[in-house]
């Protein structure tokens, strides 16, 4: 059982080159850790230059994901066009319903 657990650990967390970047992104998005934690772990796990390069790779992936999201958001806003106040009012209505739900 320990060997199977170790092989799964190595598969998901072993070598940085084999690491699923979504696992690192999840750590960055976790409010307890953020990018500072990833920088710390990479700095401890690798020499300073390698750790910095790997941190830069993570930041590059995050920037790429954000740019992709932003372009999709702009495209959807272009499709909507015209009056965005209706969207804002609908968002406000959802927000107030959400707050009411949380209070209950």
């Amino acid at each position: 059982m320990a060997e199977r657990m170790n092989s799964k650990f190595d598969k998901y967390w072993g070598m940085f080159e084999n690491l699923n970047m979504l696992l690192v992104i999840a750590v960055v998005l976790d409010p307890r850790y953020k990018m500072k934690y990833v920088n710390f772990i990479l700095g401890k796990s690798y020499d300073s230059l390698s750790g910095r390069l790997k941190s830069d790779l993570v930041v590059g992936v995050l920037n790429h994901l954000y740019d992709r999201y932003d372009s999709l958001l702009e495209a959807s806003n272009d499709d909507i066009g015209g009056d965005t106040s209706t969207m804002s009012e609908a968002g406000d209505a959802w927000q107030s319903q959400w707050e009411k739900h949380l209070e209950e």
Side-chain angles (χ1 to χ4, degrees), residues 27 45 67 74 76-78 89 98:
V27 171
S45 300
D67 291 342
E74 287 177 6
S76 69
N77 285 342
D78 290 343
E89 291 169 7
W98 172 246

Side-chain angles (χ1 to χ4, degrees), residues 7-96:
S7 70
K8 287 186 185 243
F9 177 84
D10 288 341
K11 178 180 177 182
Y12 293 108
W13 292 104
M15 299 294 294
F16 185 84
E17 293 75 22
N18 300 332
L19 183 62
N20 183 342
M21 194 56 68
L22 288 177
L23 294 173
V24 178
I25 301 300
V27 171
V28 173
L29 295 177
D30 187 323
R32 297 172 295 172
Y33 301 114
K34 299 291 181 192
M35 194 62 202
K36 285 183 180 183
Y37 183 73
V38 172
N39 289 334
F40 172 77
I41 293 299
L42 292 174
K44 292 289 185 183
S45 300
Y46 301 96
D47 61 77
S48 62
L49 179 60
S50 295
R52 182 74 176 144
L53 291 173
K54 291 178 187 326
S55 290
D56 290 345
L57 177 65
V58 172
V59 169
V61 169
L62 283 166
N63 286 331
H64 175 75
L65 287 172
Y66 177 80
D67 291 342
R68 177 77 172 138
Y69 169 77
D70 190 44
S71 67
L72 291 173
L73 187 62
E74 287 177 6
S76 69
N77 285 342
D78 290 343
D79 291 343
I80 294 169
D83 187 18
T84 57
S85 64
T86 306
M87 264 185 42
S88 176
E89 291 169 7
D92 291 343
W94 281 109
Q95 183 65 30
S96 64

